[in-house]
Amino acid sequence: MTAAPPPPSAPPPPASRPSGPGRRGTHPARPKAEALVEALPWIARHHGRTVVIKFGGNAMVDEDLKASFAKDVLFLRHAGLRPVVVHGGGPQIDTQLRRLGLASRFTGGLRVTTDETMDVVRMVLAGQVQRELVGLLNGHGAHAVGMTGEDARLMTAVKRYASADGRSVDIGRVGEIVRVDTGAVRALLDDGRIPVISSVARAEDPKDAAAGGVFNVNADTAAAAVAAALRAEMLLILTDVEGLYANWPHSDEVIPRLTARELTALLPALASGMIPKMEGCLHAVNNGVRSARIIDGRIRHSLLLQIFTGTGTVVVPDDGTGPEEATA
């Protein structure tokens, strides 16, 4: 008589394959999905709104930062916003001037621009910096269109003088914007394009027009003027600092928020390099822009980080409207 075989043992539970909610909650892509969901209220509030971005600082010369900036702008565009990019080209202009044996000089934070320097400015801005940025944006589709302040009479300027030690100083072919015609920019935005604007302007005075017809315009100033003319939702200025410091150089504490009145009181004490940026922020919020921000462009994806963290310094109108919607 043979013995009965032992009953089969139950297979051990698969320890490496958790089931139920625990398994669903450990997917490696979950943080990415949650980040997108967290951004949804911000995207919904700003859908269809115009955002003017001043591209500058170290982001202009670092290839990795340039690429991440272009992706940030494209993200905003595909999320339903209407980005406009205004750029200068200080580092590239300095490099080209050195190659030609010409000196770079600044007064009151503004570049002294001779006729010879102006030729270099136009060549570098429209022929180099703008083309590189347009190329990066168009690497992902037919989105960006380059233009200068001369095109379609976008920006018209008069001669600007710098202030140094209480004196008015002639700094050459540097312009103060007196008029912005946004027709061409609005047409591009309505067509789903991203305008990329170089900061030179046509001369208003016929005598200046006869002498060359073009002014070099500080890019921070140009971006602020374009933002105000478009009644943009916000102005974002990329630079090489974390924001406006409370007591520089004695402290690196960043002022997170300022009203227009508070900024006006601070302006006389600021370092010369920050003055055009903060004057641009002040002009923007005093002329219909809901907020203006100084952002650290040395950080990859600084535009998108601004959505989630609100880093940098935000300037708002004196009535305080706008900042509560600034971050996701």
Side-chain angles (χ1 to χ4, degrees):
M1 183 175 182
T2 59
S9 58
S16 60
R17 296 186 62 195
S19 60
R23 181 182 177 188
R24 291 195 299 271
T26 57
H27 195 287
R30 180 179 175 182
K32 297 179 181 179
E34 289 177 342
L36 290 173
V37 172
E38 289 173 9
L40 185 58
W42 189 94
I43 292 171
R45 282 196 299 267
H46 294 82
H47 190 276
R49 306 287 180 87
T50 300
V51 179
V52 176
I53 307 159
K54 187 265 180 169
F55 180 55
N58 204 52
M60 302 188 72
V61 294
D62 183 290
E63 296 302 321
D64 188 45
L65 291 176
K66 275 194 284 190
S68 70
F69 172 81
K71 290 176 181 176
D72 286 2
V73 173
L74 288 168
F75 178 90
L76 295 179
R77 188 260 182 193
H78 286 295
L81 282 77
R82 292 154 55 101
V84 177
V85 179
V86 179
H87 71 88
Q92 293 88 341
I93 292 170
D94 289 341
T95 298
Q96 187 62 28
L97 288 174
R98 283 195 300 271
R99 288 174 180 164
L100 297 173
L102 301 174
S104 294
R105 296 186 294 121
F106 293 84
T107 300
L110 300 171
R111 182 183 297 277
V112 177
T113 307
T114 64
D115 289 349
E116 201 170 15
T117 304
M118 189 69 235
D119 290 339
V120 174
V121 169
R122 292 176 85 180
M123 176 182 68
V124 170
L125 293 186
Q128 178 185 342
V129 178
Q130 183 190 98
R131 301 323 308 162
E132 289 178 356
L133 185 53
V134 167
L136 285 171
L137 293 168
N138 285 342
H140 301 273
H143 303 303
V145 176
M147 60 190 304
T148 77
E150 301 173 72
D151 296 329
R153 296 191 171 186
L154 170 58
M155 293 188 287
T156 300
V158 297
K159 185 176 177 65
R160 177 174 182 175
Y161 293 83
S163 178
D165 300 322
R167 298 180 299 109
S168 181
V169 181
D170 189 339
I171 50 175
R173 288 173 62 178
V174 176
E176 180 80 37
I177 297 173
V178 293
R179 189 165 57 258
V180 179
D181 184 341
T182 60
V185 174
R186 292 181 187 276
L188 288 171
L189 291 172
D190 291 343
D191 195 36
R193 310 299 177 184
I194 303 171
V196 179
I197 303 168
S198 301
S199 56
V200 295
R202 63 180 289 272
E204 180 182 57
D205 192 319
K207 291 183 294 184
D208 293 322
V214 184
F215 283 120
N216 181 20
V217 177
N218 178 273
D220 301 306
T221 304
V226 170
L230 289 170
R231 289 295 190 267
E233 176 74 5
M234 68 179 72
L235 167 67
L236 304 172
I237 296 180
L238 270 68
T239 185
D240 286 342
V241 295
E242 297 172 74
L244 181 63
Y245 295 119
N247 190 23
W248 183 260
H250 307 292
S251 169
D252 59 359
E253 178 187 357
V254 172
I255 302 173
R257 181 181 180 278
L258 285 166
T259 65
R261 187 177 297 109
E262 290 167 338
L263 177 56
T264 300
L266 282 178
L267 272 176
L270 297 183
S272 61
M274 285 300 290
I275 289 176
K277 294 173 175 52
M278 301 317 299
E279 285 181 338
C281 290
L282 185 62
H283 174 80
V285 299
N286 280 338
N287 289 275
V289 179
R290 285 175 56 81
S291 67
R293 295 173 175 271
I294 301 295
I295 300 174
D296 191 346
R298 300 169 299 178
I299 302 172
R300 291 181 71 245
H301 299 299
S302 55
L303 291 182
L304 298 188
L305 285 172
Q306 168 63 32
I307 296 174
F308 293 104
T309 67
T311 54
T313 297
V314 58
V315 181
V316 299
D318 286 324
D319 62 10
T321 58
E324 72 281 357
E325 296 186 356
T327 57

